[in-house]
């Protein structure tokens, strides 16, 4: 059902007071959420208050509850931790403490509370809400408030956001802080791998996760760890022997290092703890390997938030304010969650109960149930890890006699190598021979094809660029030579990993089937490009890494201005005609404007932006940031905009420009891209296997795939990963500008403008529906990693 656009102009917050607090353990991205709540609250004319030091500040009152302005949250987007503080609070657990907290809120007319914390903090908020009427009556009896106040402030609305690096809250794909914690872990793992290889060492890494193994599991996937211990899935009896055998085999295959990741809450099947020291001692005693332990500790909670966390927290903060404005006395306390790439609202207590169910299942030894309750994303991570980390003996592998070729096409994108590794290993597990094509279709035509094995792709997940080599050349001019090579090497299926060129290439091969029967084989495109411009998918592999590079640079550029008053920076991003990087980079970096091709602009808008920045320079925030997509307008170039701003801003601010260039394409892949690449590639290879079985003709002894649905692109659509025939995607594509005709992220464009203090309309058609945890799609393959 198509929604009629519904805008929030009628949701005025006039006369309302909203308070925001952070509670429990801190997490990177909390400040981005606080900033979004404050600015969105002020934007809709509500009064917004900080509650310092969590629930303790609410109980203590006084200077701990302070009304804030737009400028109060300037420059906090890139800061880790929480600027409003967090504290454990025993007094709030007592009725007396909650009575005092209620009185402190009432003195300021606050009846809308936004709580950012873990399940304990949110459960406390829900109890406070349930008791609210009773607390008001008690305050009235004690003569602290009058009957009118009891009537006026009769209801307390609560909206929660989950800030926790452990990703241990059911109902959301990702909690605020998880992605940033993974960045810290992967940075350490990458650093350790170089030193471990120098000395042939084994490293045991202990990561956080007392009750949840998410960080350990995803880190293990992202770095190709040899073994992982998590609380939800204890190893089987006799794991000590299995692990030592595996480590020895890897060493025998000339692998110079071993990585073992242990969650701090890891247990064996008898619920006894497995510590990092225990694992180290075991390896030393049994194998005599040089083994070191590294306990990451609170470094995982520190540092600046990743681009993903900033965008997630900003979206959740805005959604939380909308939820508070729309709340009625009958609305249950809700939590803003992420499902796929959508912000959804779920009843708080349903999520809390399900989270507690996981712990109960683990306590009772029902570990398979605990994994299932963690959600589809967690389950898929575990299954993918098991599939990729343990090589079965050749005798146990099936033999299909199918040959599958894997190649990279287009510009290099971070995560391509992780996708190739997964394709090779899953393909071998399925019983196929896997062939690597060097240098895309150009290399294919020249016969640069070789069989590739399990060990050949070891250590590929953390490598940036494309190890196989990649070219932008499309197959059209080499069709005959490529067909010859497919015949010579008996290639029965293709996996093409790349950007818009990969999509176009498979379209060309599909259309050439009429003349070349060699192309009548299953083909799958995995979208991989920093530009995020491939039709049929909301996310492309490599985009997250590029976005982090842009945001990191913007942070540094903003910091360079902290000692220089009144400066505006114009930054040019890549992306072709697709404005995703410019728009989302602007949202994550807290920019004042982003110029993109999809939203045409003229000189009047440029003038309005200059005036907006001139006004801003009169406040205490005396610097500006403007992002421009490289192809947003052929006449309003980066130089033109720089010169215009320099001229118009004379005497008010000076200007600098920066073209980020190919820096956005390089670097080690982010945890998101490593895992996204691994998971979509594993899924694509399983689809190829299925298609091969369906299209194999025994009589002819060959594969014959000639239908549209045998050439597909695997893309993320809203909440699901779906295979879509490339022929059907043609109608959704603007081939001139190499972008999809419709792009989901344009709906988020107003958020960037609102948070930069521009008046704009924001379509809230997708908001406002309270869903239920049980109703979330079971098969959802999410934007979570």
């Amino acid at each position: 059902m198509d929604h009629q656009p519904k805008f929030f102009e009628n949701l005025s917050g006039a006369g309302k007071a909203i308070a925001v607090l952070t509670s429990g353990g801190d997490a990177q991205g909390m400040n981005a959420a606080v900033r979004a709540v404050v600015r969105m609250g002020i934007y809709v004319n509500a009064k917004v208050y900080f509650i310092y030091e969590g629930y303790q500040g609410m109980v203590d009152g006084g200077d701990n509850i302070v009304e804030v302005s737009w400028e109060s949250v300037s420059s906090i987007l890139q800061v880790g931790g929480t600027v409003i503080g967090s504290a454990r609070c025993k007094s709030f657990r007592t009725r007396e403490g909650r009575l005092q907290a209620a009185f402190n809120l009432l003195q300021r007319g606050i009846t809308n509370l936004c709580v950012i914390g873990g399940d304990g903090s949110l459960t406390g908020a829900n109890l406070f809400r349930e008791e609210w009427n009773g607390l008001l009556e008690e305050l009235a009896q004690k003569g602290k408030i009058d009957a009118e106040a009891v009537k006026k402030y009769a209801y307390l609305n609560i909206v929660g956001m989950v800030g926790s690096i452990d990703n241990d809250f059911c109902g959301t794909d990702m909690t605020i802080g998880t992605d940033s914690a993974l960045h810290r872990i992967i940075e350490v793992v990458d650093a350790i791998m170089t030193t471990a290889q120098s000395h042939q060492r084994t490293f045991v890494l202990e990561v956080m996760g007392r009750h949840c193994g998410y960080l350990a599991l995803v880190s293990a996937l992202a770095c190709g760890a040899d073994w992982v211990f998590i609380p939800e899935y204890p190893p089987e009896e006799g794991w000590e022997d299995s692990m030592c055998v595996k480590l020895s085999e890897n060493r025998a295959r000339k692998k110079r290092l071993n990585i073992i990741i242990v969650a701090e809450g890891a247990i064996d099947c008898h619920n006894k703890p497995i510590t990092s020291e225990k694992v180290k001692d075991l390896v030393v005693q049994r194998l005599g390997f040089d083994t070191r332990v590294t306990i990451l500790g609170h470094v995982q909670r520190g540092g600046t938030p990743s681009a993903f966390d900033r965008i997630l927290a900003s979206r959740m903060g805005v959604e939380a304010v909308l939820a508070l404005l729309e709340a009625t006395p009958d609305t249950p306390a809700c939590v803003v969650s992420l499902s796929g790439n959508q912000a959804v609202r779920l009843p708080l207590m349903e999520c809390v109960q399900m989270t507690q169910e996981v712990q109960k299942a683990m306590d009772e030894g029902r570990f398979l149930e605990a994994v299932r309750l963690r959600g589809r994303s967690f389950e898929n991570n575990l299954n993918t890890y098991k599939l990729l980390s343990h090589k079965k003996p050749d005798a146990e592998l099936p033999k299909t006699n199918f040959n599958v070729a894997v190649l990279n096409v287009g510009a290099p994108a971070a995560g391509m190598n992780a996708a190739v590794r997964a394709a090779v290993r899953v393909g071998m597990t399925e019983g196929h021979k896997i062939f690597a094509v060097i240098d895309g279709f150009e290399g294919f035509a020249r016969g640069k094809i070789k069989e590739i094995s399990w060990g050949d792709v070891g250590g590929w997940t953390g490598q940036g660029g494309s190890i196989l080599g990649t070219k932008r050349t499309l197959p059209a001019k080499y069709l005959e030579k490529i067909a010859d090579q497919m015949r010579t090497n008996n290639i029965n299926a293709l996996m093409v990993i790349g950007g818009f060129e990969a999509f176009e290439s498979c379209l060309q091969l599909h259309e050439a089937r009429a003349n070349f029967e060699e192309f009548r084989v299953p083909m799958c495109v995995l979208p991989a490009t920093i530009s995020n411009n491939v039709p049929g998918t909301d996310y492309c592999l490599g985009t997250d890494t590029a976005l982090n590079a842009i945001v990191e640079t913007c942070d540094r550029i903003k910091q360079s201005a902290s000692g220089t008053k009144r400066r505006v920076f114009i930054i040019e991003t890549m992306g072709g005609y697709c404005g995703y990087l410019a728009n989302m980079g602007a949202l994550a970096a807290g920019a004042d404007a982003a110029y993109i091709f999809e939203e045409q602009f003229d000189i009047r808008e440029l003038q309005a932006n200059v005036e907006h920045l001139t006004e801003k320079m009169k406040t205490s925030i005396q610097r500006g940031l403007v992002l421009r997509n490289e192809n947003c307008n052929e006449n309003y170039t980066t130089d033109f905009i720089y010169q215009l701003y320099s001229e118009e801003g004379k005497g008010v601010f000076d200007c600098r420009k920066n073209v980020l260039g190919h820096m956005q394409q390089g670097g080690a892949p982010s945890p998101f891209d490593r895992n996204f690449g691994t998971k979509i590639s594993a899924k694509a290879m399983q689809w190829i296997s299925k298609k091969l079985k369906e299209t194999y003709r025994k009589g002819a002894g060959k594969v014959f795939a000639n239908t549209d649905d045998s050439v597909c692109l695997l893309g993320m659509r809203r909440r699901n990963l779906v295979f879509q025939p490339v022929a059907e995607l043609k109608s959704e594509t603007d081939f001139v500008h190499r972008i999809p005709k419709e792009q989901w992220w344009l709906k988020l464009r107003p958020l960037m403008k609102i948070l930069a203090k521009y008046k704009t309309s924001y379509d809230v058609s997708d908001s406002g529906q309270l869903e239920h945890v049980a109703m979330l799609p079971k098969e959802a393959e999410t934007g979570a990693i």
Side-chain angles (χ1 to χ4, degrees):
M1 186 181 78
D2 283 337
H3 289 297
Q4 287 300 313
K6 179 178 85 176
F7 299 102
F8 66 34
E9 277 86 343
N10 57 337
L11 289 175
S12 171
K16 293 201 174 188
I18 298 171
V20 59
L21 67 96
T22 51
S23 174
D26 65 315
Q28 307 97 317
M30 278 184 165
N31 288 328
V34 168
R35 171 181 177 268
V37 169
V38 169
R39 292 198 165 172
M40 187 65 179
I42 292 170
Y43 186 84
V44 294
N45 298 318
K47 281 186 170 185
V48 187
Y49 292 83
F50 275 168
I51 299 177
Y52 288 100
E53 309 306 335
Y55 288 121
Q56 190 66 54
M58 206 196 297
V59 173
D60 294 345
D63 291 344
N64 290 303
I65 306 176
V66 180
E67 188 178 351
V68 289
S69 68
W70 190 273
E71 290 158 50
S72 304
V73 289
S74 174
S75 301
I76 68 168
L77 186 63
Q78 65 270 31
V79 178
T82 164
V83 295
I84 54 176
S86 179
R88 310 277 175 196
C89 177
K90 283 183 181 168
S91 49
F92 191 74
R93 292 180 181 175
T94 65
R95 186 174 171 86
E96 199 50 48
R98 291 192 290 276
L99 190 70
Q100 185 58 44
F103 179 65
N104 291 333
L105 293 185
L106 287 173
Q107 280 185 307
R108 295 158 180 85
I110 298 167
T111 54
N112 295 283
L113 204 53
C114 184
V115 180
I116 309 166
D119 61 337
S121 306
L122 299 180
T123 307
N126 192 61
L127 174 64
F128 190 41
R129 178 180 181 274
E130 286 172 353
E131 287 183 350
W132 185 256
N133 285 109
L135 294 171
L136 261 59
E137 280 164 22
E138 197 173 323
L139 287 168
Q141 282 165 13
K142 290 183 173 177
K144 289 193 166 185
I145 59 170
D146 56 26
E148 199 180 315
V150 174
K151 210 171 171 182
K152 187 178 178 185
Y153 302 122
Y155 303 103
L156 177 68
N157 298 316
I158 282 182
V159 173
M161 285 183 265
V162 191
S164 160
I165 66 165
D166 291 334
N167 204 28
D168 56 355
F169 192 81
C170 293
T172 187
D173 293 338
M174 287 290 266
T175 55
I176 296 167
T178 306
D179 186 66
S180 302
L182 285 169
H183 273 258
R184 294 301 91 77
I185 295 167
I186 295 305
E187 279 162 22
V188 171
V189 173
D190 285 352
I192 276 175
M193 281 173 120
T194 53
T195 176
Q197 279 185 315
S198 307
H199 299 277
Q200 282 203 328
R201 280 196 178 132
T202 297
F203 267 89
V204 182
L205 256 78
E206 185 181 300
V207 301
M208 281 182 164
R210 201 167 303 145
H211 305 293
C212 179
Y214 186 88
L215 288 178
L217 178 57
V218 174
S219 307
L221 251 180
C223 70
D226 297 86
W227 205 272
V228 65
F229 294 96
I230 58 172
E232 294 89 344
Y233 191 77
E236 292 170 6
E237 203 86 63
W239 61 269
E240 296 91 342
D241 297 330
S242 311
M243 185 181 80
C244 290
V245 165
K246 184 172 182 216
L247 295 179
S248 309
E249 283 174 356
N250 284 348
R251 242 347 125 82
R253 285 196 205 109
K254 302 282 188 290
K255 189 177 177 188
R256 293 183 62 83
L257 81 155
N258 303 112
I259 299 271
I260 300 163
I261 294 182
V262 184
E264 63 179 328
I267 49 171
D268 64 18
C269 51
H270 304 296
N271 252 327
K272 296 227 165 52
I274 295 176
T275 64
S276 43
E277 279 299 328
K278 181 180 175 180
V279 174
K280 176 204 160 182
D281 293 343
L282 179 74
V283 175
V284 171
Q285 286 161 16
R286 296 268 190 103
L287 302 173
F289 290 174
D290 184 358
T291 307
R292 306 292 160 96
V293 171
T294 299
I295 297 171
L296 297 190
H298 280 72
V299 75
Q300 294 158 87
R301 275 207 182 137
T304 58
S306 65
F308 184 98
D309 271 331
R310 296 182 198 196
I311 293 165
L312 173 68
S314 298
R315 289 179 68 185
M316 284 186 168
V318 168
E319 186 70 24
V321 172
L322 293 176
L324 285 171
L325 294 182
E326 292 172 356
T328 66
D330 304 320
T331 314
C334 78
V335 62
V336 179
S337 298
L338 180 77
S339 179
N341 66 9
Q342 288 183 286
V344 296
R345 301 177 197 173
L346 300 170
L348 172 57
M349 289 321 289
E350 278 186 25
C351 298
V352 168
Q353 278 162 350
M354 199 160 169
T355 305
Q356 289 166 350
E357 282 292 313
V358 179
Q359 192 55 50
K360 195 175 162 200
M362 283 157 62
D363 292 342
E364 293 171 4
R366 294 181 286 116
F367 296 110
L368 288 175
E369 178 71 358
V371 168
R372 191 188 65 75
L373 286 168
R374 276 272 180 245
R376 189 72 184 173
S377 182
F378 189 94
E379 212 174 342
N380 281 335
N381 281 325
L382 184 59
N383 292 337
T384 308
Y385 175 77
K386 288 193 287 191
L387 199 61
L388 296 174
S389 61
H390 300 286
K391 182 182 188 293
K392 287 182 181 170
D394 289 344
E396 287 178 33
L397 289 172
K399 288 281 183 286
T400 63
N401 295 322
F402 290 131
N403 295 343
V404 181
V406 180
L407 67 159
N408 294 341
V409 179
M416 277 181 163
N417 299 323
V420 173
R421 170 184 176 265
V424 170
R425 293 194 170 180
V426 175
M428 289 181 72
T429 307
E430 299 272 323
H432 314 317
K433 275 187 181 174
I434 309 297
F435 287 80
V437 179
I438 313 301
D439 293 340
F441 282 107
E442 207 173 293
F444 209 151
R446 291 179 181 158
K448 292 164 92 172
I449 304 167
K450 60 173 187 181
E451 192 177 343
I452 188 166
S453 68
W454 187 281
D456 294 337
V457 290
W460 278 31
T461 46
Q463 303 284 322
S466 162
I467 294 172
L468 292 185
T470 179
K471 290 268 197 297
R472 290 179 181 272
T473 317
L474 297 175
K477 59 189 219 183
Y478 296 117
L479 289 173
E480 211 158 298
K481 287 181 178 175
I482 293 168
D484 281 348
Q485 290 298 335
M486 287 187 74
R487 194 167 50 250
T488 307
N489 294 283
N490 190 26
I491 301 297
N492 310 112
L494 285 182
M495 187 189 285
V496 185
I497 303 164
F500 200 87
E501 292 90 351
F503 164 65
E504 276 193 293
S505 296
C506 283
L507 255 180
Q508 288 180 357
L509 294 177
H510 174 260
E511 284 160 6
R513 279 174 163 181
N515 302 321
F516 299 93
E517 64 172 45
E518 290 83 359
F519 301 143
R520 294 169 197 166
V521 296
M523 300 181 201
C524 190
V525 182
L526 293 190
T529 167
I530 69 164
S531 303
N532 205 34
N533 65 331
V534 180
T537 189
D538 294 348
Y539 289 114
C540 291
L541 197 53
T543 308
D544 184 70
T545 305
L547 204 50
N548 276 293
I550 291 166
V551 169
E552 209 174 296
T553 310
C554 288
D555 284 354
R556 289 182 183 184
I557 285 170
K558 279 165 76 176
Q559 197 176 38
S560 78
S562 58
T564 321
K565 291 295 178 194
R566 300 190 182 142
R567 181 162 284 175
V568 174
F569 293 92
I570 318 287
I571 295 171
E572 183 188 295
T573 67
M574 287 171 97
Y577 285 97
C578 178
Y580 181 87
L581 289 178
N583 188 69
M584 301 307 257
L587 181 58
D592 297 277
Y595 300 120
I596 60 172
F597 170 75
E598 292 88 345
E599 195 175 281
Q600 295 297 300
F601 58 96
D602 57 22
I603 197 73
R604 287 185 296 275
E605 187 165 338
L606 289 170
Q607 184 63 38
N609 292 152
V610 172
E611 285 165 13
H612 188 271
L613 281 164
T614 305
E615 283 305 304
K616 183 181 176 182
M617 295 298 162
K618 293 175 185 171
T619 70
S620 60
I621 317 166
Q622 297 186 331
R623 57 156 199 276
L625 190 63
V626 175
L627 271 67
R628 178 192 176 273
N629 161 251
E630 59 184 349
N631 288 347
C632 65
N633 188 298
E634 61 179 319
N635 295 316
Y636 298 140
T637 61
T638 303
D639 281 336
F640 176 89
I641 292 172
Y642 162 68
Q643 285 161 359
L644 176 78
Y645 272 62
S646 298
E647 183 61 34
E648 294 295 317
K650 258 186 192 161
V652 183
F653 57 79
D654 67 347
C655 238
R656 295 285 184 276
K657 65 173 176 175
N658 204 309
V659 177
L660 300 186
H662 282 74
M663 186 199 77
Q664 296 157 84
Q665 232 165 33
S670 67
F672 184 101
D673 280 331
R674 295 179 195 204
N675 283 46
F676 192 48
T678 299
K679 282 164 75 172
I680 60 172
S681 181
K683 194 174 177 72
M685 188 54 80
Q686 287 164 337
W687 176 86
I688 284 173
S689 295
K690 183 168 154 278
K691 285 289 173 196
L692 284 168
K693 283 173 196 155
E694 284 172 9
T695 57
Y696 181 68
R697 294 192 174 173
K698 258 189 180 160
K702 66 177 184 179
V703 171
F704 185 83
N706 206 25
T707 54
D708 283 357
D709 69 353
S710 60
V711 185
C712 279
L713 179 141
L714 174 56
M716 160 97 175
R717 281 283 176 99
R718 289 168 82 87
R719 301 185 187 183
N720 298 300
L721 277 173
V722 284
F723 290 94
Q724 302 144 99
V726 292
E728 287 176 16
L729 292 174
K730 265 177 89 170
S731 60
E732 297 179 24
T733 309
D734 171 354
F735 283 95
V736 176
H737 299 105
R738 298 160 57 89
I739 52 174
K741 287 178 183 171
E742 283 187 29
Q743 301 183 84
W744 71 275
W745 54 267
L746 284 167
K747 272 194 168 182
L748 299 186
R749 185 151 172 79
L751 288 195
M752 188 270 298
K753 294 184 176 182
I754 287 166
L755 297 176
K757 216 174 184 177
Y758 285 91
K759 286 286 172 197
T760 186
S761 293
Y762 178 39
D763 180 358
V764 292
S765 307
D766 286 340
S767 301
Q769 285 88 37
L770 192 67
E771 303 192 17
H772 294 280
V773 182
M775 302 302 286
L776 288 177
K778 283 278 183 284
E779 295 299 312
E781 292 270 10
T782 63
I785 48 180

